[in-house]
Amino acid sequence: MSLEKAIPVKINGVPHELLARANETLLDCLRQHGQFEVKNGCEKGDCGACAVQIEGEAVDSCLTLTWTVEGRSITTLEGLNDTNKPHPLIAAFMEQGAVQCGYCTPGIIVAAEEMLRETLNPTDDDIALALSGNLCRCTGYTKIFAAIRQAATVLREGGGND
Amino acid sequence: MTDQTPHRQTEANVVLRQIGKPLERSDAEGKATGRTRYAGDYTMPSMLHGRVLRSELASARLKHLDASAARNLPGVLCVLTADELPDRLAATDIPGQTGQKRASTDRQILVREFIRHHGEPLALIAAETPAIAEKAHDLIEYEIEPLPGVYDIDSALGPDAPIVTEPDNIVGQHKIRKGNVDKGFAEADHIIENTFKTQFIEHAFLEPEVGLAWVDENGVINIRMSTQVIEHFRFIADALGVPHNKVRILGAMVGGGFGGKEDITVELYLALLAQATRRPVRLAYTREDSFLGHGKRHPFVISHKTGVTKQGKITALEVNIRADSGAYVFLSPYVLLYSAVAAPGPYRIDNVKIDSAAIATNNMYTSAFRGFGAAQACVAYEAQMDEIAKAIGIDRFELRRRNFMRTGDKTATGQTVESAIWSDECMTRALEALGEETKAEEPVKIGRGVATYQQSYGRITWLHDTAEAWVGIEIDGTVIVRSGVTDIGGGQVSALSQIAAESLGVGLEDVIIYHSDSAVTPLAGTTTATRALYMTGNAVHKASSILRGRMIDFAANELDVQPDEVDLANGQAFVVDDPSNFISLTDLAARGASEGLQRSELAMFRAPFTDPIDKETGQGPVFPDFTYGCHAVEVSVDTETGEVTVLKSVGAHDIGQAINPQAVEGQIEGGALMGQGYALSEELIYQEGKLVSPSFSEYLIPTSMDMPEIKTIILESRSGLGPFGAKGIGEPSFTPVAPAIANAVADAIGTRVFELPITPEKVVKVLSQSQTNGDLEQKLNKTPLLED
Ligand code: FES
Ligand code: FES
């Protein structure tokens, strides 16, 4: 067992130090830090439940070693919602009924948010591709697609937080 | 009025204001913002971490096990082996809240001598950190000697087969006898026989099994966990040898269940480790643990022999069902019963003979999974309907129409169905919704298929099912519901809130529900068997209706009118003919409180109770009622690669009354994709009982890339036994999907794959066979000797 090192990072805009050994994943460290919205579904990079953004790019935190993110900005679902108004994606997921058991939801919203920064006119193929690393066993994805389309419309019309 | 129909007590002057509206679920915000705490998100000071050591082989003898090195590792608090649990057994029978005697199907908790399936637990570890627990896991030394095993149901019944379950590897049998099949076959113009096979599959809920246990100052073992069934606390107490009131199970929002969190999972290990260490213990399954650690869907082999007239009237049906129950009994006898009762489908058949057996092997044990045997039965009977239509040259939809049961008809077990049977309308609507046929060019072919079904909601009626709920109005007029129901993602809790809100005339946001705590919420039974809304919904409705009556009486007095002139809505009690004469619920509750009005009610709902069916004939009522509906799909099949793509998928179901249509759509859409995985891609591969695909990279559930256009059609006959006439949709939404896809593939390529999943290899194989047969037939037809 290797020694623990303090890794400085920003979590949802706030500077923190994550204590981690060389082989510890960002998933474990974030959850130990209390970011329980980051979910563990497989620890193998197969399900996307653990997705977070590093410098805006969605990654599986279970495949990311904490030592490799020194000095980086990490955004979880919580960070997407840190204003008084829910993020349009979050609002759309609630309104469209895109949440069932909800275990996949944090990772899916994190992945969708990255895509919506690329394009506010996503085709269904764009959405399918953006979510291809995120499994959902409950919803059949249908309402998730609808929610993402709704959020894209809201954002296109300038209804976001910014 | 009886307890079975409380929804009719108070419906007279109720205008539905919330029921049937697509409201945002009460659990949506917490989940969409990530604030909802799941069982794995709870921690405690001085918490230990558990780990399970599992067998690598499926059939073997444990010669010796030495945990001393693991025990000596600093930071290891305890290692439990079978030696520490000399006479402890664990129940595998149905979660009973009824005090009925359970079958003698208990299993060893940890392997004593014989290992019966891959992944069977050998030892339990509790350590200061997950890393130490992992290291201790690797330090346990053991020697196992491989033994001959049985890995398929045919060998399990062979004369020299190793015995997995005494005395003969048969763990359950059911017979159904109705009418006279010999007479029925004699009346038939055609007899069609086919055999259909289904595979092992995995629930693949996204949240692996997890929990946290601690012993409190009263010696109560508390377990916070992800489960469909908090009432396993009794079985845990029995296994530990403590009184029932010394074990408490608390749930949390569950990250998916589908039947996979219906049997005991981590709670038993947690209880043992917390009891042994007297410290809080957390146990989180890895995904591999989850693949190895809970029961699977039974593979079935189902043979149908159907007699049918030229006009397409089915005159006789003989069905033989065999299911692989794996190494322990668990719910196999019940799953088997469901499949036998479901075997004739939603069709009226007067002469029926069904034989079924669940057979033990050294494969992973099989148990509950959405559809519970009735789904496998549907894979067979709906494929058989298409095969009959093809054989006798009649339209396959017309064939169904000519045989559909109607209200008042009897099932194969002689149970009269009194609710609406809208199979015909559901099929017509689903087919319409497929719209214009998609065009394709060679080598791609388009096909369409439907499947209809009959699926029970509510438990087997001789299990004497009950559910309780408590509803109260606070002094400020807000509403609290307490009920032991677990929410596995289907919106169970939100639906209960909606029912209470409807009855008491408040908004959904005015209701808070406390759920899934075996110690403090009234026990509501399991979230299984499509029963949560039916049972607990009725209990909540009953409690809130009684409370509603009491509040209306009190309000009538305050408003100086008769009770039947008063309604409750929008947080007010008001005179129906003069809404300006009102009192707010807040004032009403406060005044009631000062006058000692009881503002709460505990109610129990009882399902119909019956005696078990006759053993020899299978005659008698089995379920409270059934849901009927249809799934229709359009597929494309690439005849060169064998690849099947689902293009359109339509579910049309009569669910009685949608409490929340958006949640119902969600069930149908989720069922559509889960059924698609069952039909096309999912299969757990066991080699000599060893699971070779314990991860999501090998076990392929549908992704966003596989999503077809899904449409949902909700029909409402208001004829169900649930609140407001609701039936159930959790399992029914899944059941017809895979057979509809199988039928569409057969329609596209003109020949059938008789075995799920329909992989590209199998499609290519049947195409080349039918090619060869076709060539052969052509040749034979040219042979003059064969012409008559
Ligand atoms: S937990 Fe990271 S991809 Fe599944
Ligand atoms: S909502 Fe349950 S896995 Fe997606």
Side-chain angles (χ1 to χ4, degrees):
Chain A
M1 243 164 269
S2 55
L3 288 177
E4 279 190 343
K5 218 164 87 171
I7 307 294
V9 293
K10 261 191 191 173
I11 301 174
N12 299 329
V14 182
H16 287 285
E17 288 193 338
L18 293 175
L19 277 183
R21 286 185 303 276
N23 61 354
E24 264 187 298
T25 65
L26 185 57
L27 168 62
D28 283 345
C29 289
L30 285 172
R31 288 183 58 84
Q32 272 157 31
H33 184 75
Q35 304 298 146
F36 290 117
E37 72 280 15
V38 185
K39 297 294 179 209
N40 177 347
C42 72
E43 294 174 282
K44 292 232 166 99
D46 295 331
C47 78
C50 65
V52 299
Q53 293 174 1
I54 297 177
E55 304 295 345
E57 193 185 321
V59 299
D60 291 334
S61 63
C62 71
L63 293 184
T64 307
L65 294 174
T66 306
W67 282 20
T68 67
V69 298
E70 188 163 342
R72 308 282 205 95
S73 259
I74 299 159
T75 309
T76 71
L77 172 61
E78 187 191 70
L80 297 178
N81 203 35
D82 62 357
T83 62
N84 293 329
K85 203 166 137 207
H87 187 281
L89 267 168
I90 292 174
F93 269 63
M94 286 156 54
E95 280 163 33
Q96 293 288 335
V99 179
Q100 288 192 31
C101 84
Y103 203 77
C104 67
T105 310
I108 287 186
I109 293 181
V110 160
E113 199 273 343
E114 185 195 8
M115 178 199 65
L116 290 184
R117 272 186 282 112
E118 300 275 308
T119 170
L120 287 179
N121 287 296
T123 62
D124 279 0
D125 286 347
D126 293 335
I127 299 176
L129 197 63
L131 302 189
S132 59
N134 294 81
L135 298 177
C136 174
R137 192 56 153 170
C138 302
T139 64
Y141 306 99
T142 307
K143 295 200 187 305
I144 292 175
F145 277 51
I148 294 172
R149 280 186 227 112
Q150 173 182 323
T153 309
V154 171
L155 287 164
R156 259 200 322 267
E157 290 162 5
N161 287 330
D162 307 326
Chain B
M1 282 296 138
T2 67
D3 283 328
Q4 282 76 28
T5 55
H7 55 283
R8 297 193 180 102
Q9 283 171 7
T10 47
E11 242 159 54
N13 61 352
V14 173
V15 186
L16 293 187
R17 295 183 172 89
Q18 307 208 22
I19 299 299
K21 307 281 184 302
L23 301 181
E24 192 177 295
R25 273 169 47 175
S26 60
D27 56 328
E29 183 172 354
K31 289 173 173 175
T33 55
R35 290 189 198 116
T36 298
R37 288 288 162 260
Y38 294 78
D41 300 338
Y42 288 85
T43 59
M44 280 179 103
S46 77
M47 177 177 89
L48 302 172
H49 297 267
R51 186 85 173 86
V52 183
L53 174 70
R54 298 176 182 282
S55 164
E56 300 274 321
L57 293 179
S59 178
R61 196 165 74 86
L62 181 62
K63 290 175 72 178
H64 84 102
L65 185 147
D66 180 2
S68 52
R71 287 192 175 111
N72 290 333
L73 186 71
V76 172
L77 272 288
C78 98
V79 178
L80 294 178
T81 69
D83 292 342
E84 280 77 45
L85 313 169
D87 38 46
R88 296 274 171 254
L89 289 173
T92 72
D93 199 3
I94 44 158
Q97 73 258 54
T98 64
Q100 286 183 346
K101 201 175 168 307
R102 62 176 189 257
S104 54
T105 55
D106 295 359
R107 65 177 293 193
Q108 58 187 4
I109 296 172
L110 297 172
V111 170
R112 291 174 176 164
E113 182 177 5
F114 293 106
I115 292 165
R116 295 186 176 82
H117 67 80
H118 177 208
E120 185 158 17
L122 305 174
L124 304 173
I125 300 145
E128 296 283 358
T129 68
I132 299 173
E134 183 61 34
K135 191 155 186 210
H137 170 274
D138 298 342
L139 283 175
I140 297 175
E141 285 170 26
Y142 60 95
E143 198 183 333
I144 56 180
E145 170 196 353
L147 293 176
V150 279
Y151 304 106
D152 64 85
I153 53 182
D154 289 329
S155 345
L157 297 179
D160 302 318
I163 296 302
V164 186
T165 300
E166 296 290 343
D168 53 6
N169 286 339
I170 295 177
V171 301
Q173 277 177 304
H174 296 288
K175 290 189 230 177
I176 296 175
R177 302 285 183 268
K178 180 188 180 190
N180 178 339
V181 279
D182 293 336
K183 182 172 146 274
F185 282 121
E187 285 163 14
D189 298 309
H190 306 268
I191 292 176
I192 291 102
E193 294 186 64
N194 285 299
T195 297
F196 308 91
K197 290 187 182 169
T198 66
Q199 76 280 34
F200 279 103
I201 67 166
E202 157 63 26
H203 307 79
F205 35 72
L206 260 275
E207 174 203 38
E209 297 88 329
V210 63
L212 168 65
W214 69 97
V215 184
D216 69 19
E217 64 279 16
N218 297 317
V220 175
I221 301 168
N222 292 263
I223 309 166
R224 163 87 71 179
M225 65 172 301
S226 173
T227 180
Q228 297 177 238
V229 182
I230 58 170
E231 289 187 54
H232 281 313
F233 74 87
R234 299 190 184 92
F235 288 177
I236 301 303
D238 290 347
L240 268 61
V242 302
H244 286 181
N245 67 0
K246 286 286 180 70
V247 178
R248 170 193 186 191
I249 297 185
L250 304 88
M253 282 292 174
V254 178
F258 314 113
K261 293 173 182 166
E262 177 165 346
D263 296 315
I264 290 170
T265 60
V266 290
E267 59 269 56
L268 179 57
Y269 309 140
L270 281 166
L272 288 164
L273 291 171
Q275 192 188 40
T277 61
R278 294 274 150 174
R279 286 192 38 194
V281 184
R282 178 178 191 264
L283 174 58
Y285 274 7
T286 61
R287 180 55 62 182
E288 185 173 330
D289 274 321
S290 184
F291 269 97
L292 295 175
H294 68 251
K296 305 303 167 199
R297 184 188 291 285
H298 294 71
F300 271 67
V301 180
I302 304 178
S303 302
H304 275 243
K305 176 179 170 188
T306 316
V308 58
T309 66
K310 280 198 239 61
Q311 292 77 32
K313 175 77 199 133
I314 298 173
T315 57
L317 173 67
E318 217 174 281
V319 184
N320 187 288
I321 301 173
R322 284 172 306 149
D324 186 340
S325 73
Y328 288 100
V329 179
F330 281 86
L331 304 188
S332 287
Y334 305 96
V335 171
L336 189 72
L337 175 71
Y338 270 63
S339 69
V341 173
Y347 304 110
R348 192 190 138 147
I349 308 173
D350 295 332
N351 305 299
V352 178
K353 178 172 180 243
I354 296 165
D355 288 289
S356 64
I359 296 151
T361 65
N362 291 107
N363 292 320
M364 183 55 183
Y365 63 82
T366 43
S367 196
F369 197 141
R370 191 182 200 176
F372 208 83
Q376 292 94 323
C378 187
V379 168
Y381 63 70
E382 283 302 84
Q384 176 75 346
M385 288 305 276
D386 274 21
E387 290 301 308
I388 295 168
K390 191 172 155 190
I392 71 174
I394 187 173
D395 175 77
R396 56 202 165 129
F397 312 118
E398 185 54 30
L399 174 72
R400 285 177 173 79
R401 283 194 184 98
R402 289 184 190 171
N403 291 283
F404 277 140
M405 288 172 68
R406 314 277 164 191
T407 300
D409 281 349
K410 285 186 164 48
T411 66
T413 74
Q415 175 173 354
T416 305
V417 179
E418 280 157 14
S419 68
I421 302 180
W422 287 2
S423 307
D424 197 345
E425 186 163 0
C426 290
M427 184 173 73
T428 305
R429 297 280 301 273
L431 279 168
E432 267 170 27
L434 284 180
E436 237 172 77
E437 185 160 310
T438 307
K439 303 261 176 301
E441 278 168 30
E442 287 296 332
V444 175
K445 289 196 151 70
I446 301 292
R448 289 181 165 195
V450 301
T452 60
Y453 67 90
Q454 167 180 281
Q455 173 95 42
S456 57
Y457 61 93
R459 293 172 92 186
I460 296 164
T461 43
W462 59 86
L463 297 177
H464 295 185
D465 198 12
T466 60
E468 287 188 35
W470 180 98
V471 181
I473 303 179
E474 250 312 312
I475 291 181
D476 66 355
T478 56
V479 174
I480 293 176
V481 177
R482 297 193 175 102
S483 182
V485 70
T486 55
D487 190 314
I488 59 174
Q492 284 84 5
V493 156
S494 182
L496 298 183
S497 304
Q498 217 179 330
I499 290 165
E502 176 75 56
S503 301
L504 296 171
V506 299
L508 191 54
E509 64 286 354
D510 298 320
V511 182
I512 285 291
I513 176 159
Y514 293 87
H515 60 94
S516 42
D517 182 337
S518 73
V520 304
T521 55
L523 296 178
T526 63
T527 299
T528 69
T530 310
R531 72 175 281 290
L533 175 65
Y534 162 48
M535 296 296 299
T536 316
N538 273 335
V540 169
H541 193 222
K542 189 174 168 186
S544 4
S545 299
I546 293 169
L547 206 49
R548 172 189 171 84
R550 208 177 286 143
M551 296 314 279
I552 283 181
D553 285 349
F554 191 74
N557 199 29
E558 298 283 315
L559 299 173
D560 209 14
V561 292
Q562 291 305 306
D564 60 7
E565 296 173 63
V566 177
D567 196 359
L568 291 181
N570 307 320
Q572 297 176 340
F574 61 95
V575 178
V576 176
D577 292 337
D578 176 16
S580 68
N581 189 8
F582 73 91
I583 176 170
S584 73
L585 196 60
T586 312
D587 289 344
L588 195 64
R591 256 183 254 178
S594 75
E595 301 206 4
L597 178 75
Q598 188 187 340
R599 290 165 292 107
S600 68
E601 188 66 30
L602 173 66
M604 176 189 266
F605 174 73
R606 277 189 287 273
F609 287 11
T610 65
D611 292 328
I613 47 174
D614 184 272
K615 275 207 155 42
E616 288 310 308
T617 65
Q619 291 300 298
V622 183
F623 297 109
D625 191 24
F626 304 90
T627 304
Y628 298 87
C630 176
H631 205 91
V633 296
E634 183 182 85
V635 302
S636 70
V637 184
D638 183 320
T639 54
E640 274 168 12
T641 65
E643 197 187 334
V644 177
T645 308
V646 179
L647 303 172
K648 299 177 192 168
S649 197
V650 184
H653 305 267
D654 166 28
I655 61 153
Q657 165 72 50
I659 302 300
N660 183 342
Q662 195 184 58
V664 173
E665 287 168 12
Q667 288 297 301
I668 298 172
E669 290 157 3
L673 224 62
M674 187 181 265
Q676 188 172 317
Y678 189 31
L680 300 178
S681 65
E682 294 181 33
E683 180 165 26
L684 291 162
I685 310 281
Y686 289 91
Q687 280 170 7
E688 302 245 293
K690 199 171 155 70
L691 178 61
V692 297
S693 49
S695 80
F696 285 147
S697 57
E698 297 144 293
Y699 183 84
L700 302 177
I701 69 171
T703 73
S704 55
M705 307 291 279
D706 304 308
M707 189 190 74
E709 179 190 336
I710 302 178
K711 286 188 191 158
T712 56
I713 298 168
I714 300 172
L715 287 86
E716 297 180 308
S717 64
R718 303 217 165 87
S719 67
L721 299 176
F724 306 97
K727 293 189 166 188
I729 188 64
E731 293 175 281
S733 58
F734 166 82
T735 290
V737 179
I741 292 172
N743 284 344
V745 173
D747 178 49
I749 63 176
T751 178
R752 180 173 294 273
V753 177
F754 284 89
E755 194 177 326
L756 298 187
I758 304 170
T759 57
E761 300 75 49
K762 288 183 198 164
V763 170
V764 169
K765 195 168 153 207
V766 297
L767 276 171
S768 69
Q769 277 165 355
S770 76
Q771 185 78 37
T772 323
N773 292 346
D775 292 349
L776 206 65
E777 248 167 57
Q778 253 177 11
K779 262 188 214 147
L780 290 174
N781 286 344
K782 279 184 197 140
T783 312
L785 276 178
L786 284 178
E787 285 172 4
D788 46 20

